Amino acid sequence: MSAKISEIVALDAGEGNPVIVRGHVPQPTNECHAVRAKDLAKEGAEMILVGCNSNLYRGYVQPESRVAVEQQQHTYIALHNRVTGKMRMVEVESCPQLTNVCHDERPTTEQTFDVDNVRKLLQKYNTKTSQRLHRRIQREKVDFSVMEDRLQQTMSECAPTPVAASSETAQQPAETLVQDEIRVKMNPQSRSLRDLFVAEDLIGSRLLKSLDETAKRVVQTPPDELAMASVYLENRVKAVMQSKEPTSESNLRTVKICLYMDVLVRLLTKQKNRKPVKVGNRSDSMSPFTPLFDAPIRREFMQFCSGQSLGKDRATKYTRDKALLTYLALAFVLEESDEVQVSVIHRSLQVSKEEVITFGRAIGATYNNRLDTFVKDWKMKTTQESNDPLLANMQAVADGQRSKGKRSYGKR
């Protein structure tokens, strides 16, 4: 019976063209599912994926060969409608070979013979060979407590040379102790607490000079309206107000230091208890007295944090530790005495007294338990020696302090 060709369908890049697949697929065809895909590893080559139960077959669609193009040979399949007697010719592509690329097999769990399993086997089969093997395992066990004792003994008996210390420091990451930053500004030739630190080194001479007008304005403020973050600082400023010459150079210098320490106390306050400080129309200022502290404090104390607070400077553990150390150093400058009362400095600070004592020792002071005072630490190493972590740890052990390890902070 002859049929009339009613339509010839050519290949279309935007349509799903039929593909003649050649290959050995043992499963019945009704259980197979095929999809077209592109292999990105081969510049987007067309491929066919055929899944049959637990097997996966892959084959690449073969493009038209150059000979077929020159001879204008095309492959069609005929779809004959027996009712109407018409036939549609549909051009097809070919996938010459399907290969099996995956087979679903349950992984077999292999038994691992660790020390516990070997010990159980030795107990079950207690032969002479097993006894020798068991004794060898016991000899090869490492006692870390003995190694730790030997390391501590070696560290206490010998100190590294300056060359070895410098090479060790060069290999360490760019993380420094906060007390090292304060000790750099320490006077190693000081004979007492009064000349251990200088305010210009801790605050900056340029910043102190720029606070002249602010200090004069604070001195002229009524005492009842003066509100500072620390009772200790507030009493020092009020004492300047009641002096004969409140605007003298020495009194204004004291007020400037107190204003800087006031900002440090606010940094020590916990985030949830911290009240927003307003200066004019700004609510994010560091000090309620002047905005001159904003840039220096953020540069020297705050840390850039990522994550939820992306792009913002935050008060971190580094900020609080450095603020407390700087506060104690400036308190030694304000007192101008060989002995400083710890209770006076600790007053109105939201930190424990033990923490104040620990941080005071870190910057060159010794705590007198009987008098509750800070005095000059005559055993304190120089700045160059204190920068070495090993020497600092050995010095702490020699002073009877427990080693608390190195505090690490992120890069600023």
Side-chain angles (χ1 to χ4, degrees), residues 140-152:
E140 292 178 354
K141 295 179 66 175
V142 180
D143 190 357
F144 292 99
S145 60
V146 177
M147 296 179 61
E148 183 178 2
D149 295 339
R150 291 181 180 179
L151 287 175
Q152 293 293 339

Side-chain angles (χ1 to χ4, degrees), residues 9 14 30 36 82 117 129 158 162 177 187 203-204 223 231 234-235 249 262 282 289 295-296 340 355 386 396 402:
V9 181
N30 56 358
R36 294 175 67 106
R82 296 183 179 180
N117 292 334
T129 305
C158 60
L177 297 176
N187 180 17
I203 302 176
V231 178
E234 189 171 323
N235 293 336
E249 185 179 354
D262 178 76
R282 298 180 57 190
F289 303 100
V340 177
E355 193 171 2
S386 63
R402 290 189 300 173

